[in-house]
Amino acid sequence: MSELADTRTGKVGGATELDALVIGAGFAGLYQLLCLRDRLGLSVKALEAGSGVGGTWYWNRYPGARCDSESHVYWYTFSPELMREWEWSERYPGQAEILRYLNFVADRFDLKRDIQFNSRVTSAHYDAAANRWRVSTEQGETFIVKFLVTAVGCLSTANVPKIPGLQDFKGDWYHTGHWPHEGVDFTDKRVGMIGTGSTGIQAAPVIAAQAKHLTVFQRTANYSVPARNVPLTADFKQYVKQNAEEIRTATHQTYNGMFFKVDDRKAVETSLEERETIYEAAWQRGGLQFRAVFQDMLVSKQANDTAADFIKRKIRSIVKDPKTAAILSDIDHPYAAKRPPIDTDYFETYNRPNVSLVDVKTSPIQRISESGICTTEAEYPVDIIVFATGFDAMTGPLLRMDIRGRDGVALKDVWEAGPRNYLGLQVAGFPNLFTVTGPGSPSVLCNMPVAIEQHADWITDCIAHMRAKGLARIEARPEAVEKWVAEVNEVANRTLLPQAKHSWYLGANIPGKPRVFMPYAGGMIRYREICQEVAARSYEGFALS
Ligand code: NA7
């Protein structure tokens, strides 16, 4: 530390010097902080924009918010003791319970003392001469750090569409990703909800149960499979406690970090009758496993059509009004090519007398008036508007910070035509900056905590290696980035995933965003191997100095 250092606060010339800084205190930030502080003994802090831990689960408090991964795989697995200490109550954990869990973890490992809340990072600039990152917050603080790790989440930049007139709306409006902590009372209210992704599909039944009337504005019809959420039995809770290590191992050996494997059989080689039986069983069992019943579902259009057809028939059999059923089942993309939602009574909700559906594909929303939502065909008076309109996914949370690498080059310029990095972990020209579950990594195609633990462990091992070897700088090589970007595209193109033209996987939900398939679709198990091989070959593809 220089002479200007205040030895009590660690501040130098008004800035705080640290070995490392983690941005975010959600699932990723908490674990990364723990790894760097307790395993490596670094001086490290996490900066968090919210006033508490939880990330996604801190912000997304909308009615019906629940995880689509099953609870026994949606948690940290780095500590078998922790796995035995915590007990989930339902098959899929709800938002409030996940938030309790993350607070439990933060308290158990005494993490909050090193988290600075209400601190939103606005910029991070790399100083090559000093080999340090200079990080500034909206609150006017500055940090000077050797290693910078972003743990900002993939779905944390809310997308509120720019619909003319919103500022004149006399009622209340909310985006689901910024839900008021005190909740919203829908009693006797006419509610308009825009969006039918996973969020809208979770929220609609809960809002409808309370509101006077719910009008759902659907642009792209969506598949959904019943979640079949239930309270966990004492036997199952016991099973989880007794098999913590096995659960961890199993989730490390699957394509998507789940507990179930994709079946070996092919839909195209299965008779119509047998296929029907298999789909029906998967529908009754519920959940994301539906997409795992045939190995060719995500690679063969012919195979996918069989699943798509099954779900569309289900929608038409559940929804009583034929016109509404037709709008809901008029789906234009392969099943699971967009993130596949799971639900609790979503399609059944349209049989309620207080729920109606507006097809805004044929009659788009034109503007918002003082008292409602106007499409090209009609005005729908509402008291409350719920924007279930998703996020500027994956790149949004990174690009809203002013991140500049060598020579002041801005990340937003390097990524002008789409994200470019190595393993989703590092960008060439941005030394010592690591991006947890960045674009180009399995991230959103994987059960998140599994992807997060793998990244945080890899980053921790990498920094430990550098310290052991007396190395100060790690940076992705441009040729490694080139190869990785090609690999990410190639594995995506082997699947049907890029065929969903309106998908946030492609950035297509944000006007002007480059259309690039962002997550790595080669599977978590393969990705883990690649990262291990890279590390074993002395961090091949990275320049260390
Ligand atoms: P999604 O999946 O991006 O869904 C957003 C929905 O909002 C989707 O139906 C969009 O239609 C719709 N949308 C967005 N903008 C508009 C406008 N301007 N007009 C009408 N409709 C619009 O976000 P979610 O929050 O549901 O889910 C995000 C992820 O969180 C989810 O996948 C899980 O991983 C957890 P579109 O399809 O673009 O036509």
Side-chain angles (χ1 to χ4, degrees):
M1 265 188 204
S2 76
E3 298 154 39
L4 293 170
D6 178 334
T7 45
R8 281 174 307 121
T9 61
K11 287 194 175 181
V12 183
T16 303
E17 274 198 358
L18 297 166
D19 293 326
L21 194 67
V22 177
I23 309 177
F27 251 106
L30 290 177
Y31 183 53
Q32 188 67 75
L33 171 64
L34 181 147
C35 289
L36 297 180
R37 189 190 70 182
D38 297 351
R39 285 192 203 151
L40 301 191
L42 302 191
S43 64
V44 52
K45 259 188 195 305
L47 299 182
E48 166 56 53
S51 61
V53 302
T56 290
W57 304 106
Y58 171 90
W59 298 103
N60 284 266
R61 300 173 190 234
Y62 61 86
R66 187 176 290 285
C67 186
D68 288 347
S69 294
E70 296 190 33
S71 54
H72 63 290
V73 297
Y74 197 76
W75 57 351
Y76 297 110
T77 62
F78 66 87
S79 159
E81 298 78 44
L82 176 66
M83 291 172 86
R84 276 186 276 274
E85 284 164 28
W86 183 261
E87 201 171 88
W88 294 109
S89 68
E90 294 177 274
R91 179 176 175 186
Y92 304 92
Q95 174 271 331
E97 192 171 18
I98 302 173
L99 196 56
R100 275 201 301 281
Y101 170 69
L102 290 170
N103 274 284
F104 172 76
V105 174
D107 292 334
R108 181 174 184 304
F109 294 96
D110 195 14
L111 296 173
K112 287 179 187 167
R113 73 179 147 95
D114 290 308
I115 303 171
Q116 196 168 306
F117 294 106
N118 305 306
S119 300
R120 182 177 287 285
V121 171
T122 48
S123 70
H125 295 176
Y126 178 67
D127 173 351
N131 189 32
R132 291 289 185 277
W133 281 91
R134 190 179 179 86
V135 180
S136 304
T137 69
E138 206 168 75
Q139 289 66 30
E141 275 195 278
T142 304
F143 296 83
I144 295 173
V145 301
K146 281 182 216 154
F147 296 102
L148 180 61
V149 185
T150 64
V152 290
C154 295
L155 297 159
S156 51
T157 302
N159 167 42
V160 180
K162 292 187 178 60
I163 303 174
L166 180 57
Q167 69 283 357
D168 303 325
F169 181 57
K170 292 267 191 281
D172 296 320
W173 67 268
Y174 309 93
H175 186 279
T176 50
H178 287 291
W179 205 256
H181 289 196
E182 62 280 11
V184 175
D185 185 4
F186 294 106
T187 315
D188 290 332
K189 302 285 187 198
R190 297 163 305 173
V191 183
M193 187 184 79
I194 304 174
T196 52
S198 299
T199 300
I201 283 175
Q202 285 186 338
V206 187
I207 297 174
Q210 206 189 56
K212 182 169 166 195
H213 194 89
L214 170 68
T215 308
V216 178
F217 295 82
Q218 172 191 283
R219 188 164 66 184
T220 306
N222 215 341
Y223 300 96
S224 185
V225 168
R228 308 226 185 266
N229 187 35
V230 283
L232 293 178
T233 61
D235 281 353
F236 190 81
K237 290 178 186 172
Q238 193 58 22
Y239 162 82
V240 172
K241 282 190 203 299
Q242 285 170 350
N243 294 279
E245 280 89 345
E246 286 74 7
I247 291 171
R248 173 189 159 90
T249 309
T251 57
H252 284 199
Q253 289 169 350
T254 56
Y255 172 85
N256 50 14
M258 295 293 188
F259 198 50
F260 53 85
K261 283 208 155 73
V262 178
D263 206 287
D264 284 337
R265 66 191 163 210
K266 289 187 174 175
V268 294
E269 292 169 359
T270 306
S271 72
L272 180 69
E273 205 180 13
E274 200 185 332
R275 246 182 0 229
E276 203 65 10
T277 308
I278 290 167
Y279 283 137
E280 184 60 35
W283 183 269
Q284 294 309 330
R285 192 166 59 238
L288 292 173
Q289 277 129 298
F290 191 90
R291 71 181 155 173
V293 294
F294 292 114
Q295 58 127 308
D296 51 351
M297 202 189 281
L298 266 184
V299 290
S300 151
K301 177 72 168 60
Q302 197 192 338
N304 194 284
D305 282 347
T306 66
D309 173 65
F310 179 87
I311 301 173
K312 289 176 186 177
R313 276 188 282 125
K314 281 289 186 193
I315 298 170
R316 288 192 289 265
S317 74
I318 296 168
V319 180
K320 296 200 177 110
D321 173 48
K323 192 169 161 243
T324 305
I327 298 169
L328 288 167
S329 60
D330 182 19
I331 309 174
D332 64 0
H333 53 276
Y335 171 65
K338 278 179 105 168
R339 166 70 159 69
I342 60 175
D343 70 271
T344 301
D345 295 337
Y346 174 64
F347 294 116
E348 289 81 352
T349 295
Y350 292 95
N351 294 333
R352 296 176 64 107
N354 70 330
V355 175
S356 44
L357 178 68
V358 176
D359 177 6
V360 297
K361 189 158 81 175
T362 51
S363 52
I365 297 173
Q366 275 195 319
R367 63 188 173 85
I368 289 171
S369 67
E370 285 188 359
S371 53
I373 298 174
C374 309
T375 70
T376 48
E377 275 177 9
E379 175 168 2
Y380 298 86
V382 294
D383 306 304
I384 296 177
I385 301 174
V386 174
F387 287 97
T389 42
F391 302 89
D392 181 354
M394 309 200 72
T395 52
L398 292 165
L399 293 179
R400 75 170 160 185
M401 298 181 284
D402 173 27
I403 301 181
R404 290 171 191 264
R406 274 181 199 288
D407 307 318
V409 172
L411 185 62
K412 74 171 173 19
D413 292 334
V414 179
W415 284 7
E416 198 182 0
R420 304 179 57 77
N421 61 17
Y422 182 36
L423 301 173
L425 276 163
Q426 266 217 337
V427 186
F430 295 74
N432 294 355
L433 168 67
F434 296 98
T435 50
V436 178
T437 64
S441 75
S443 59
V444 293
L445 296 180
C446 182
N447 175 32
M448 262 327 211
V450 173
I452 284 167
E453 281 189 331
Q454 185 268 344
H455 259 192
D457 285 339
W458 193 94
I459 292 165
T460 307
D461 291 347
C462 174
I463 295 176
H465 167 85
M466 291 174 69
R467 281 157 58 94
K469 301 269 176 203
L471 297 163
R473 194 182 343 238
I474 180 165
E475 182 174 356
R477 294 183 188 276
E479 59 275 20
V481 170
E482 204 67 40
K483 264 175 78 179
W484 185 249
V485 171
E487 170 81 6
V488 171
N489 279 315
E490 201 189 307
V491 292
N493 288 334
R494 277 188 233 137
T495 72
L496 301 173
L497 290 165
Q499 290 190 18
K501 296 297 170 216
H502 305 288
S503 155
W504 56 259
Y505 292 156
L506 273 170
N509 62 327
I510 302 295
K513 188 166 172 170
R515 303 285 159 100
V516 175
F517 190 82
M518 293 183 285
Y520 172 75
M524 190 63 212
I525 182 165
R526 175 70 194 124
Y527 177 80
R528 186 185 296 275
E529 284 165 8
I530 295 171
C531 290
Q532 279 165 353
E533 285 161 16
V534 163
R537 291 198 214 108
S538 302
Y539 294 90
E540 186 178 48
F542 292 95
L544 290 118
S545 55

